[in-house]
Amino acid sequence: MEFPGLTTAAAEAYQREHGYNEIVEKQESLAHKIMRRSVSPVSAMLLFAAALSFISGKIFDGCFILFLLALNVGVTVWQEHKADTAIEKLNEHLATAVRVLRDGALQTLSARLLVPGDVVELRAGDIVPADARAESVNGASANEAALTGESLPKEKNAGDTLYSGSFLAAGLATVRITKTGSTTYFGRTIAAVDTTPRKSALEKDILRISKFLSLLAVGAVLLLTAVSLYHRVAWTDMLRLDLSLAIAGVPISLPAVMTLIIALGVVGLSKKGAVVRRLSALEELANADLLLTDKTGTLTKNHIKVNEVRTYGSWDEAGARRMAALVAAADPSNAINRALAGAGAQPEIVRYVPADSERKRSTLAYRENGRVQTVSLGAPQAIMALCRMPDDAQRRFYDDVDALAKGGYRALALAVADGEQERDMDLAGLFALSDELREDASDVVRFLDENGIEVVMVTGDNRAIAREIAGKLGVTGGAIVARDALLARGVDSLTAASFRDTRAFAEILPEDKYALVAQAKRFFTVATNGDGVNDLPALKAANVSFAVKDAVDALKGAADIVLVSSGIAVMKDAFIEGRRIFARLYTYSLYRISESFRLIVTIIVLGVATGTYPLSPLQLILIALLNDIPIISLATDRVKAAHRPSKIDVRKQFSQSLRYGAIGVLNSLILFFFATGYLHLPLPVVETLFFLKLTISGHLLIYVAHTKERWWRYLPSRAVIVATSLTQAAATGLAITGFLMPAAISWKLALFAWIWSFFFMQIGEAVKARSS
């Protein structure tokens, strides 16, 4: 760079006085969302219940409710800390790195360390990390759609302003930072972790059912209030009962637990090398049944090497390699350029225009020994259009291109001309490039196919190369469709069968990839990936999108999931983990809905029919607390990932939950009338027995609901087993000792409650088997 930069000392002095360039907007922690959506209403109701207890003279009950409130808040703070730590780790993966001139040398630093006055080098696909003024440009244009809504890139010239959050769509630019952090014009960047509150269809469905149960609970509270007034129950006792029923029956914690399950799943995915930016993408990930995948860097290693050089005219291999190395040296970040780069002194650069999807070539004009020459390197067809050659020489050239393609090589052509004009150039050479297939690629493609995900390669390489790669992958029986055949047929004519019968689309341009994704979405839940800025339209159109490890910053800012390790294996892990997260959410919804339904309906029926309630307010609150412990453990439950995409059947889910709930209601009513009418137990003993039975039955339901198999053949995770065992043991201990209970029960009655609950657990298992 020819522009003076800052020293590290000067930059650090600015940071001490003004702070850092916080280009990544602070992500609200998942725990804060939990607190907003769950803890606040629960805390308010618990405080109100405690106050009513004190007013009515039940000092111990009030103190214990306050203890439960403190415990609730403590658990929440702990979960908040875990979630905040996870978010910090995610932001580290997505942190933007920039090439900045410091202490007279070009360095790669975190964009957070930028200060006004820094000189930064930007290439196509780089996010502008702070407001800046262009010092020099080379074919540069910036995409400011994320900021202004204008979709077309805007050409940039020396002296123009580039805004933080935009990205360089084409060319090169050297810029000087003018404003950082909150002082920038827009104050944030699209590289931030996505905070858009987009709910998945699953979340909407479960929250809809939650609202139904909440309305049912409100109806129950109103009805019980009327019954209490009829029986002249003291208003403090009536309000405590109403509040307790609301706390225990309304699934207030449902959104919070769903968020926690997703959060822990996201952390698990990050350990596997996939950073989730949009939480609602996890459902699409579980539902995805078509992957339109790039070749380079996904199926292949993206370690390009030159296998052969064919020369033309008076050029020899050494001369052709030197010319190609001059062009490659102008942009060493490109994988192809790194393969072509060579050692040696660099001449004076007069002009450099990097390749893009329209030009399909890089152009370098340089001065050496007072002589200016122009070198173009790019796609054979693009280079041939610039050359003057007789027909027989052109035929030989295209025969060479075809021969290399049939061998699985990608060809790059090189042409040279005197002066600065790109016309009447001399064809110098043809470079055969190869990219080795990943060792695990064929196994992963086969695995995805066996698990209901069609894999179709979308590549810009020609048909012969695509066929060669498909053959190495072991993929047979599918067509290789070239671009001309695709356009002749029309992308909009493709059907679901067309995609299933195709193994690769070849010679595809970015606009073709976008059209393919848009058409495929008519029949599939589509996942796709990419690495370059030209992949942006296709990734935004897909149901779920991946930015591969070496993707440009702009693509990482737009993708749903950013891969931090290479290859397609990490995508397989993401698909499977997404299905596991989906299964945990589904299990929890079944359990929580059925529990709320069981408790509310039982209290309504007994309250109206007998005028008595088999549970005290304190017992209702204890049940809510004892339920929360195993509920949290469900976030790490052992589940089987579905072998097919996991589309939820809301009607089936709701009906299954209500069946479980109905069994619980029947169970409770029979026990109540058996205990009072046959055993003639006093009401305080019945309340304690009822409390123990509800706790045991509810937690045993987790074993039934979490798997489609027989419950004893596929047990939950160790964390769930430990959590349910501890809570059931605690409930049994409370019942036998009478601590916090209206009365103590004998160990025989406690054993009876266990046997009774286990028996009805098998009835629930039979209902599950019949409805599966």
Side-chain angles (χ1 to χ4, degrees):
M1 285 185 183
E2 57 194 45
F3 306 99
L6 297 179
T7 64
T8 299
E12 290 176 347
Y14 179 91
Q15 290 158 2
R16 284 194 296 271
E17 184 175 353
H18 301 284
Y20 292 92
N21 176 34
E22 298 290 356
I23 64 165
V24 178
E25 183 178 322
K26 282 287 185 180
Q27 164 79 351
E28 180 185 27
S29 75
L30 298 174
H32 282 122
K33 294 179 183 177
I34 292 174
M35 292 183 72
R36 280 194 299 104
R37 297 164 68 182
S38 175
V39 173
S40 294
V42 171
S43 300
M45 286 192 287
L46 285 172
L47 281 172
F48 196 24
L52 289 172
S53 297
F54 288 128
I55 291 172
S56 59
K58 298 182 179 179
I59 306 300
F60 178 81
D61 286 7
C63 292
F64 190 75
I65 291 172
L66 290 178
F67 167 75
L68 295 181
L69 174 59
L71 185 62
N72 194 326
V73 172
V75 171
T76 301
V77 171
W78 176 61
Q79 293 294 345
E80 178 184 356
H81 173 71
K82 287 175 60 179
D84 284 344
T85 302
I87 290 297
E88 288 176 8
K89 290 181 179 179
L90 298 186
N91 281 336
E92 288 175 5
H93 284 303
L94 299 181
T96 301
V98 293
R99 292 171 294 279
V100 57
L101 189 64
R102 285 278 179 88
D103 300 323
L106 194 63
Q107 305 178 36
T108 299
L109 301 176
S110 168
R112 184 173 182 266
L113 301 177
L114 290 177
V115 300
D118 269 328
V119 176
V120 175
E121 181 185 87
L122 299 175
R123 303 187 181 106
D126 286 350
I127 284 178
V128 181
D131 286 359
R133 182 183 65 252
E135 299 286 354
S136 71
V137 297
N138 196 336
S141 61
N143 187 311
E144 298 176 347
L147 310 175
T148 65
E150 184 178 348
S151 59
L152 295 177
K154 186 175 181 181
E155 183 180 350
K156 294 294 181 179
N157 299 305
D160 287 348
T161 297
L162 285 85
Y163 294 106
S164 171
S166 63
F167 67 87
L168 214 62
L172 303 171
T174 300
V175 302
R176 188 178 296 277
I177 301 301
T178 56
K179 295 179 180 179
T180 59
S182 60
T183 65
T184 60
Y185 184 69
F186 291 96
R188 59 187 177 89
T189 176
I190 61 172
V193 175
D194 188 11
T195 60
T196 306
R198 295 170 60 183
K199 292 186 177 68
S200 70
L202 173 63
E203 188 175 359
K204 290 177 182 177
D205 293 333
I206 294 178
L207 292 178
R208 190 179 299 120
I209 296 171
S210 176
K211 289 178 181 178
F212 165 77
L213 292 173
S214 298
L215 290 175
L216 182 63
V218 170
V221 167
L222 293 176
L223 185 58
L224 291 180
T225 300
V227 172
S228 298
L229 290 173
Y230 176 79
H231 290 287
R232 300 182 181 277
V233 176
W235 70 270
T236 51
D237 291 341
M238 178 182 68
L239 287 178
R240 285 175 66 244
L241 179 63
D242 289 344
L243 275 174
S244 302
L245 180 60
I247 292 169
V250 177
I252 295 170
S253 62
L254 183 120
V257 177
M258 287 179 59
T259 304
L260 181 60
I261 290 173
I262 292 173
L264 294 181
V266 166
V267 173
L269 278 174
S270 69
K271 293 177 181 178
K272 295 177 181 292
V275 178
V276 179
R277 297 184 62 257
R278 179 171 66 89
L279 296 183
S280 58
L282 289 172
E283 184 181 353
E284 281 89 349
L285 192 63
N287 293 341
D289 49 7
L290 175 65
L291 171 62
L292 296 176
T293 178
D294 273 1
K295 173 181 71 69
T296 304
T298 303
L299 300 173
T300 61
K301 294 182 177 179
N302 199 22
H303 294 162
I304 311 297
K305 62 180 180 180
V306 179
N307 291 79
E308 182 183 350
V309 180
R310 300 189 181 189
T311 58
Y312 303 88
S314 60
W315 288 89
D316 60 13
E317 182 174 338
R321 281 183 177 272
R322 179 177 182 270
M323 290 294 106
L326 291 178
V327 180
D331 185 10
S333 64
N334 184 287
I336 293 177
N337 285 353
R338 288 196 294 270
L340 296 169
Q346 298 299 311
E348 177 189 350
I349 296 177
V350 177
R351 178 173 61 96
Y352 174 69
V353 182
D356 57 41
S357 60
E358 293 184 7
R359 298 181 74 252
K360 300 180 183 177
R361 68 186 188 279
S362 299
T363 303
L364 173 73
Y366 70 95
R367 180 178 288 106
E368 191 174 52
N369 299 325
R371 177 188 178 193
V372 175
Q373 279 193 306
T374 297
V375 186
S376 293
L377 177 70
Q381 295 85 348
I383 297 300
M384 179 54 70
L386 306 175
C387 297
R388 58 176 189 273
M389 293 181 67
D391 291 344
D392 58 341
Q394 289 190 35
R395 282 194 296 272
R396 180 207 160 193
F397 173 76
Y398 283 118
D399 287 344
D400 287 345
V401 172
D402 289 340
L404 293 177
K406 290 177 181 177
Y409 298 114
R410 178 179 178 181
L412 278 186
L414 177 78
V416 182
D418 291 330
E420 292 189 45
Q421 301 301 317
E422 277 189 292
R423 62 172 182 266
D424 297 332
M425 304 185 80
D426 293 326
L427 182 67
L430 190 65
F431 293 80
L433 307 178
S434 67
D435 188 5
E436 188 178 350
L437 193 70
R438 291 186 177 277
E439 294 84 356
D440 59 353
S442 58
D443 291 337
V444 173
V445 169
R446 190 181 309 110
F447 176 89
L448 293 177
D449 187 63
E450 291 171 353
N451 282 269
I453 302 173
E454 300 282 341
V455 181
V456 180
M457 182 170 63
V458 180
T459 178
D461 290 333
N462 64 35
R463 191 179 180 203
I465 295 176
R467 180 181 290 109
E468 179 74 12
I469 294 296
K472 290 180 179 179
L473 285 171
V475 176
T476 58
I480 308 295
V481 180
R483 183 173 189 264
D484 53 358
L486 177 65
L487 296 183
R489 179 180 178 180
V491 176
D492 57 359
S493 68
L494 295 177
T495 64
S498 302
F499 284 99
R500 291 192 184 99
D501 294 339
T502 301
R503 282 304 170 224
F505 292 100
E507 302 168 15
I508 295 300
L509 298 179
E511 58 266 29
D512 304 322
K513 184 175 180 179
Y514 169 81
L516 285 169
V517 170
Q519 180 67 10
K521 282 177 66 178
R522 296 177 57 188
F523 315 106
F524 302 93
T525 300
V526 181
T528 192
N529 56 26
D531 60 354
V533 69
N534 293 319
D535 291 313
L536 267 173
L539 264 67
K540 288 184 177 180
N543 297 101
V544 58
S545 56
F546 294 86
V548 301
K549 180 182 178 182
D550 296 322
V552 296
D553 288 340
L555 206 70
K556 291 179 179 178
D560 298 321
I561 299 172
V562 179
L563 305 182
V564 294
S565 58
S566 303
I568 196 172
V570 64
M571 294 179 65
K572 178 200 78 171
D573 292 337
F575 281 119
I576 300 307
E577 191 64 27
R579 292 183 183 181
R580 289 196 179 103
I581 294 170
F582 185 92
R584 292 186 184 108
L585 289 171
Y586 188 80
T587 297
Y588 169 66
S589 67
L590 284 179
Y591 167 72
R592 195 61 186 90
I593 293 167
S594 61
E595 279 296 279
S596 294
F597 181 83
R598 175 187 67 157
L599 191 60
I600 293 169
V601 174
T602 300
I603 296 295
I604 290 176
V605 172
L606 291 179
V608 173
T610 68
T612 59
Y613 310 105
L615 291 169
S616 68
L618 184 58
Q619 285 177 314
L620 283 169
I621 294 173
L622 275 173
I623 287 176
L625 174 67
L626 292 174
N627 279 341
D628 280 345
I629 296 173
I631 279 174
I632 292 173
S633 71
L634 285 176
T636 59
D637 189 21
R638 172 176 172 250
V639 294
K640 283 188 176 180
H643 290 296
R644 311 301 296 176
S646 306
K647 293 185 182 295
I648 189 170
D649 185 337
V650 181
R651 181 173 297 179
K652 181 179 179 181
Q653 176 208 31
F654 194 30
S655 63
Q656 182 79 345
S657 299
L658 293 186
R659 276 194 289 270
Y660 288 143
I663 293 171
V665 172
L666 183 64
N667 172 359
S668 300
L669 294 178
I670 294 174
L671 178 64
F672 179 83
F673 290 112
F674 179 77
T676 56
Y678 182 77
L679 297 179
H680 303 292
L681 298 175
L683 185 59
V685 174
V686 172
E687 289 179 355
T688 302
L689 177 64
F690 220 75
F691 164 81
L692 179 58
K693 192 279 302 180
L694 285 174
T695 304
I696 296 171
S697 294
H699 296 178
L700 290 180
L701 177 60
I702 294 175
Y703 289 71
V704 175
H706 97 115
T707 178
K708 292 182 179 180
E709 298 183 26
R710 296 289 186 256
W711 68 264
W712 61 86
R713 292 178 180 170
Y714 194 80
L715 295 174
S717 67
R718 179 179 298 178
V720 174
I721 293 174
V722 170
T724 54
S725 299
L726 288 176
T727 51
Q728 289 170 329
T732 303
L734 292 175
I736 292 175
T737 62
F739 182 65
L740 304 178
M741 297 290 111
I745 64 173
S746 66
W747 67 267
K748 292 181 179 179
L749 267 183
L751 180 61
F752 169 76
W754 272 93
I755 295 173
W756 183 280
S757 300
F758 189 78
F759 172 75
F760 276 93
M761 176 190 182
Q762 310 319 306
I763 295 178
E765 178 67 28
V767 169
K768 178 186 74 175
R770 187 171 181 179
S771 60
S772 297

